[in-house]
Amino acid sequence: MRAFAYLIALLSVLGLQVSDSLPTLDQVIEQHIRALGGRTALARYGMLVLSGDCESTAPGESGPVEISIQTPKVYFDLKSTDKELQMGFNGDVVWRHAQEGLQKGAGREFADRVIVFDVARVLWWKEWYLQMALKGMEKVGDSEAYVLETRPGSPSTERVFVDRRSGLRVRDVTPAAVFTFSNYRSVDGVQVPFTIKQKTGADITYTYKIREAKWVTTDLSRFEPR
């Protein structure tokens, strides 16, 4: 028993997690920030532009995609074979423009449909989600991930999965879709997922394969409804 107690104490001193214990929410957030490149890298001035291709299981919905990010603002543009889909969040208004026209709403409701692409959103998790909590761990593939909920107990909660070892976000479950993130690469010191998969409630899958990621001068007009 003494040897076991000594081992637990040693692990604690080394900053390692015992398998049947959980860190605090703040510890998981800090681990995630460090894994992405650190606060300074994430808070840099400029706009991150991701360009690539979307492969969809729905006919006519594949095509080039571009995602612009200036946290917490995001702009999404998919030019598929049959239509163009634009979505955005300018910090106050979330909007969507497709064949049915422009739809928009004030506030952050439904913003998770577009801000899910923001790699730096961890910087304002606690500011936006005052009830955010660490709910436990779950398996994601062959790895374990911490599960964070933005609104615990609510049907509208978002569930964020942060890999226990890497500290990177590997899954994001929103009321509208399930996103998975992989193939992380460094873009000027910031870890960016170059493969993002989205599965909707209608069992349609969109796979976004990023070909190029670069920082450019911020163009705030890009995030406005159009």
Side-chain angles (χ1 to χ4, degrees), residues 107-160:
R108 299 165 186 162
E109 188 176 6
F110 307 123
D112 54 11
R113 298 181 183 182
V114 63
I115 60 175
V116 70
F117 296 102
D118 182 2
V119 294
R121 60 192 298 239
V122 61
L123 296 178
W124 39 265
W125 272 351
K126 293 190 69 177
E127 176 186 349
W128 276 29
Y129 308 118
L130 301 180
Q131 296 178 322
M132 192 172 203
L134 174 62
K135 302 301 290 183
M137 285 199 301
E138 290 186 20
K139 277 277 193 178
V140 177
D142 296 328
S143 303
E144 290 182 323
Y146 298 117
V147 183
L148 285 62
E149 292 191 5
T150 57
R151 304 175 185 89
S154 170
S156 64
T157 191
E158 181 180 349
R159 305 178 77 226
V160 183

Side-chain angles (χ1 to χ4, degrees), residues 59-193:
E61 294 192 1
S62 299
V65 64
E66 184 173 281
I67 305 168
S68 303
I69 304 165
Q70 171 68 69
T71 190
K73 302 174 179 65
V74 178
Y75 169 66
F76 174 96
D77 185 8
L78 170 61
K79 293 180 172 64
S80 62
T81 305
D82 291 346
K83 60 184 178 181
E84 181 175 11
L85 170 62
Q86 296 176 313
M87 298 188 298
F89 179 67
N90 65 5
D92 298 308
V93 174
V94 59
W95 56 274
R96 182 180 187 275
H97 195 168
Q99 288 178 322
E100 63 271 22
L102 176 64
Q103 300 172 319
K104 59 181 180 178
R108 299 165 186 162
E109 188 176 6
F110 307 123
D112 54 11
R113 298 181 183 182
V114 63
I115 60 175
V116 70
F117 296 102
D118 182 2
V119 294
R121 60 192 298 239
V122 61
L123 296 178
W124 39 265
W125 272 351
K126 293 190 69 177
E127 176 186 349
W128 276 29
Y129 308 118
L130 301 180
Q131 296 178 322
M132 192 172 203
L134 174 62
K135 302 301 290 183
M137 285 199 301
E138 290 186 20
K139 277 277 193 178
V140 177
D142 296 328
S143 303
E144 290 182 323
Y146 298 117
V147 183
L148 285 62
E149 292 191 5
T150 57
R151 304 175 185 89
S154 170
S156 64
T157 191
E158 181 180 349
R159 305 178 77 226
V160 183
F161 294 73
V162 176
D163 187 270
R164 177 174 173 265
R165 293 186 181 276
S166 71
L168 296 171
R169 182 175 52 146
V170 291
R171 179 180 293 170
D172 209 307
V173 181
T174 74
V178 176
F179 294 82
T180 57
F181 306 86
S182 60
N183 190 20
Y184 277 86
R185 304 178 195 175
S186 178
V187 181
D188 292 335
V190 175
Q191 291 294 322
V192 175

